[in-house]
Amino acid sequence: MNVVRHLMLGEARTCTREEFRKDAPALSIALDGVIPEGPWIDLPRLQANFNHHEGVNRLATRCTAAQIDITLRMGGLSAFFNGLRPVHVFYNDCDPDVILSLWILENRLRVQSMWGGPFDELLRAIDLLDTTAATYPFPPSMDLGAIQWVFEPYFDARDHLVLDRENPADYEDVIQKCFIRIERFLDGTPGRVQIKTDFKIVGQYNGWGMFQCVGSLSRIGIVSSGYPAFVLVHKRPDGRYVYTLQRTCDGVVFPLELFYEALNAVETAPGKWGGCDTVGGSPREHGSDLSPERVAEIINIVLAAHVSSAMLGIV
């Protein structure tokens, strides 16, 4: 395979481009938010960043796995995979986009000979799901049960807070289980899970709502219920909260960048709120000290001021 994986957790979960250039060896690839900025390839240094979370127009940017797929097919990584030295791949999660990215890199020769069929079906589904942060309005005829089955080990580990322990063995276990299921999907013998779009209402406000996910595709259910802007929340074992702030597109009046700024001004947990123009959230490492009521209060204040300013022609 000629690929060496490096899991980034704790304080080392993310780094700047300058830090990556300094610390990572040649033939290094950062995946999906390790370097929180738009994608780039540095051929002189033989380093690359594939990401669609920060510093991009989210809906106009392919997910990380799709970026890698098309770059491989177009020869953009040929200098990396010269067969002489291993390629180092840095990642900080084991969600479907990261898992498929790793699988593509580790099976690159197979991928480059695949056209149409199950692989394209899997990649397209993950691209649409991840690009839209699981809000894409798939038609009822679309069978997502097999796609979700492929990555069920991840959703199970996430929902049972296994990944919150930040034990590298847990991440490796999820990846290997999903790799086996990818092979079964490609062989035409996948399993299926029941698609769950249920959610719990935490609060409903003017133009948006706060919810708790019940199923892995709860966001599709939230949007189809009339909420193109929303906040997701769940409580961590340590008492802090994890929040996701989201809107379906930049045409929805829900100014995430202004929310990040206001929430960072009052946050007492380490780290920063942030993300891109359509989805972001609380500090990734430590979560947030802010209660759901306080977050809702701040969002409503900022949103009201933003709408008032827009009506006056100020913004």
Side-chain angles (χ1 to χ4, degrees):
M1 293 186 296
N2 209 32
V3 169
V4 178
R5 301 183 204 151
H6 301 270
L7 177 59
M8 313 286 285
L9 295 176
E11 298 296 335
R13 184 181 288 273
T14 64
C15 64
T16 65
R17 186 191 302 210
E18 290 71 25
E19 290 169 336
F20 192 76
R21 283 174 166 171
K22 175 178 177 292
D23 298 332
L27 304 176
S28 287
I29 298 172
L31 297 182
D32 209 45
V34 167
I35 304 174
E37 61 182 54
W40 49 264
I41 296 178
D42 187 337
L43 284 178
R45 294 176 180 269
L46 289 177
Q47 294 179 336
N49 181 46
F50 293 97
N51 182 35
H52 70 123
H53 292 277
E54 296 89 5
V56 299
N57 180 318
R58 177 75 175 233
L59 295 187
T61 308
R62 291 180 174 90
C63 76
T64 297
Q67 291 176 26
I68 291 171
D69 175 73
I70 196 169
T71 303
L72 276 172
R73 293 182 188 275
M74 300 305 293
L77 292 176
S78 58
F80 287 70
F81 292 101
N82 55 23
L84 301 178
R85 292 181 292 168
V87 172
H88 300 269
V89 180
F90 296 79
Y91 64 103
N92 60 17
D93 202 351
C94 58
D95 66 12
D97 193 19
V98 171
I99 289 171
L100 190 55
S101 297
L102 291 170
W103 189 90
I104 290 171
L105 288 169
E106 295 180 18
N107 294 272
R108 58 197 175 277
L109 296 179
R110 288 174 62 193
V111 168
Q112 289 173 280
S113 64
M114 291 178 178
W115 297 100
F119 175 75
D120 280 2
E121 179 185 352
L122 181 64
L123 180 61
R124 175 169 170 74
I126 294 304
D127 192 14
L128 290 174
L129 283 167
D130 215 66
T131 297
T132 64
T135 60
Y136 189 79
F138 288 96
S141 59
M142 178 73 174
D143 180 12
L144 292 175
I147 303 292
Q148 290 298 102
W149 173 83
V150 171
F151 301 103
E152 184 183 27
Y154 164 74
F155 294 115
D156 185 63
R158 183 198 66 181
D159 294 344
H160 288 87
L161 306 179
V162 172
L163 301 179
D164 288 356
R165 302 187 307 218
E166 296 203 332
N167 179 359
D170 293 330
Y171 284 73
E172 180 64 21
D173 181 61
V174 168
I175 292 169
Q176 292 307 319
K177 287 178 177 176
C178 290
F179 272 24
I180 291 171
R181 293 188 180 208
I182 288 173
E183 296 293 347
R184 281 194 54 188
F185 186 90
L186 298 180
D187 288 342
T189 60
R192 276 176 173 75
V193 296
Q194 181 180 1
I195 296 301
K196 296 181 180 180
T197 60
D198 301 345
F199 56 90
K200 294 181 180 179
I201 299 173
V202 178
Q204 294 172 299
Y205 308 96
N206 186 20
W208 68 285
M210 184 178 289
F211 306 98
Q212 182 180 348
C213 289
V214 175
S216 60
L217 292 178
S218 291
R219 298 185 211 194
I220 290 178
I222 291 169
V223 173
S224 65
S225 296
Y227 288 93
F230 56 89
V231 173
L232 304 178
V233 58
H234 81 260
K235 196 170 187 178
R236 292 165 36 129
D238 62 7
R240 285 180 171 152
Y241 295 90
V242 175
Y243 295 97
T244 299
L245 281 58
Q246 189 167 347
R247 58 179 177 170
T248 53
C249 67
D250 56 12
V252 175
V253 180
F254 201 61
L256 299 191
E257 291 84 357
L258 297 182
F259 298 151
Y260 304 150
E261 181 180 355
L263 291 162
N264 278 324
V266 297
E267 182 61 72
T268 55
K272 294 289 186 181
W273 290 71
C276 67
D277 55 346
T278 57
V279 63
S282 52
R284 189 169 183 179
E285 169 76 16
H286 299 285
S288 172
D289 285 329
L290 303 177
S291 68
E293 295 79 12
R294 181 63 171 143
V295 169
E297 177 187 17
I298 292 169
I299 288 176
N300 282 328
I301 291 172
V302 173
L303 184 58
H306 176 74
V307 171
S308 296
S309 298
M311 293 177 64
L312 294 173
I314 297 174
V315 294

